[in-house]
Amino acid sequence: MQAWQVHENGEPSEVMRLTDVAPPTPGDGQVLLKVRAANINFPDALLCRGQYQVRPPLPFTPGVEICGESEDGRRVIANPALPYGGFAEYAVADAAALLPAPDALDDAEVAALHIGYQTGWFGLHRRARLEAGETLLVHAAAGGVGSAAVQLGKAAGATVIGVVGGAEKAAVARELGCDVVIDRRAESAEDVVAAVKEATGGRGADVIYDPVGGEAYAQSAKVVAFEGRIVVVGFASGSIPSPGLNHALVKNYSILGLHWGLYNTKNPKLVQHCHEQLTELAARGAIRPLVSERVPLGGAASAVQKVADGLSTGRIAVVMEGAT
């Protein structure tokens, strides 16, 4: 089979190589899956660089989220078991963790549903307890993680403010349903803060969803409302902030961390429950993963690099021949 492999750490476009290898052999409790589509996540770039919290042995195949086909013909969602990731014709995954693919979504959309939307659902509903009528601020609202949070926020009845970088991403955020869009590249940091305060009548945002860190977090602390909640999802900016806890005390807001992967081991029943909720939302059209590009297997390395460089909107999916 064909598979992308990383033999040394570095930038994805430089270290990912498409090679012919034998299909992987499933271990105990694992199954072999034919890959129908693989979603590209920022962690794939971190894996290539050797900067992710998981460091599989070299050589490995990246690709942490797929729509696969089981041996009995079922479409399933899976997180491949590294080192046999999803940027290949076949991958292996834990049998107990497979989830049924929603009928309402095609293969590329299914591949983009799991990590981003599970993260959004847990962040907004489990951690922040977002309520209808509240204001949700989403940083990087046109990105893969942010776009999921925007759709989930709208589905929950929130007013959504999206912060993006650039006119193209601003247009995408509006199409996603953001009630207010702020282009950070067209505004200074102070202007972004002012725009949020203006949009909320000076009150600020009840829930802030931050996969960026760095300056974005600093802005969040300035615009979070009384009894607001800042959900820390990641640090795509590369800068990990050091929050002032005295500030959180004085303004009476909460800082909530979210490591979605822990739920797979700490409370897997919640992951299943979340998937049922997402399947229902997809069935009634309330959510639909924004797949901005669909590339063949041969285009995976350049696509991972594009995500690594922050040049993508929504999700990029690697789609196999014959997939929907």
Side-chain angles (χ1 to χ4, degrees), residues 190-213:
E190 292 78 11
D191 289 338
V192 170
V193 171
V196 174
K197 290 185 176 180
E198 180 181 357
T200 58
R203 184 174 179 276
D206 299 291
V207 176
I208 300 176
Y209 192 79
D210 181 15
V212 179

Side-chain angles (χ1 to χ4, degrees), residues 141-177:
V145 174
S147 61
V150 169
Q151 291 183 357
L152 288 167
K154 293 299 295 181
T159 297
V160 180
I161 301 173
V163 179
V164 299
E168 179 184 356
K169 294 185 178 183
V172 169
R174 293 187 185 95
E175 292 175 7
L176 286 167

Side-chain angles (χ1 to χ4, degrees), residues 3-9 15 17 19 21 55-62 82-85:
W4 286 93
Q5 289 194 326
V6 174
H7 289 262
E8 60 184 354
N9 294 128
V15 299
R17 305 173 192 168
T19 57
V21 297
R55 299 191 68 173
L58 299 169
F60 68 88
T61 297
L82 299 176
Y84 304 114

Side-chain angles (χ1 to χ4, degrees), residues 9 25 56 74 76 78 98 115 129 133 185 206 214-215 230 266 282 292:
N9 294 128
T25 300
R74 292 177 295 126
V76 296
L98 298 182
I115 296 175
R129 308 291 181 180
R185 291 187 180 173
D206 299 291
E215 186 178 59
I230 300 175
K266 299 290 187 181
S292 58

Side-chain angles (χ1 to χ4, degrees), residues 36-277:
R36 297 178 66 92
N39 177 49
I40 296 174
N41 288 273
F42 190 68
D44 292 315
L46 296 179
L47 281 166
C48 291
R49 294 168 174 166
Q51 297 174 347
Y52 197 51
Q53 56 257 43
V54 176
R55 299 191 68 173
L58 299 169
F60 68 88
T61 297
V64 298
E65 181 176 31
I66 67 168
C67 172
E69 182 178 330
S70 63
E71 291 184 345
D72 57 2
R74 292 177 295 126
R75 279 200 320 156
V76 296
I77 292 172
N79 298 127
L82 299 176
Y84 304 114
F87 301 148
E89 293 181 290
Y90 289 89
V92 294
D94 293 334
L98 298 182
L99 296 169
D103 293 334
L105 305 178
D106 66 26
D107 292 338
E109 292 164 341
V110 166
L113 178 70
H114 191 48
I115 296 175
Y117 283 84
Q118 287 258 344
T119 299
W121 189 90
F122 274 91
L124 298 181
H125 294 292
R126 183 74 182 177
R127 302 293 284 132
R129 308 291 181 180
L130 178 69
E131 297 181 3
E134 290 191 312
T135 297
L136 167 67
L137 171 65
V138 180
H139 290 287
V145 174
S147 61
V150 169
Q151 291 183 357
L152 288 167
K154 293 299 295 181
T159 297
V160 180
I161 301 173
V163 179
V164 299
E168 179 184 356
K169 294 185 178 183
V172 169
R174 293 187 185 95
E175 292 175 7
L176 286 167
C178 285
D179 299 282
V180 177
V181 178
I182 302 170
D183 183 354
R184 60 179 173 78
R185 291 187 180 173
E187 310 282 355
S188 67
E190 292 78 11
D191 289 338
V192 170
V193 171
V196 174
K197 290 185 176 180
E198 180 181 357
T200 58
R203 184 174 179 276
D206 299 291
V207 176
I208 300 176
Y209 192 79
D210 181 15
V212 179
E215 186 178 59
Y217 181 86
Q219 294 167 352
S220 298
K222 293 179 180 179
V223 299
V224 63
F226 172 75
E227 292 194 331
R229 292 85 78 198
I230 300 175
V231 185
V232 179
V233 183
F235 312 104
S237 68
S239 175
I240 300 176
S242 299
L245 297 184
N246 59 327
H247 190 260
L249 184 154
V250 171
K251 286 194 68 175
N252 208 52
Y253 64 86
S254 301
I255 304 167
L256 305 171
L258 174 64
H259 179 188
W260 168 74
L262 282 178
Y263 288 95
N264 287 294
T265 54
K266 299 290 187 181
N267 197 340
K269 289 184 178 180
L270 274 178
V271 175
Q272 177 64 46
H273 172 70
C274 175
H275 182 65
E276 293 168 358
Q277 299 296 308

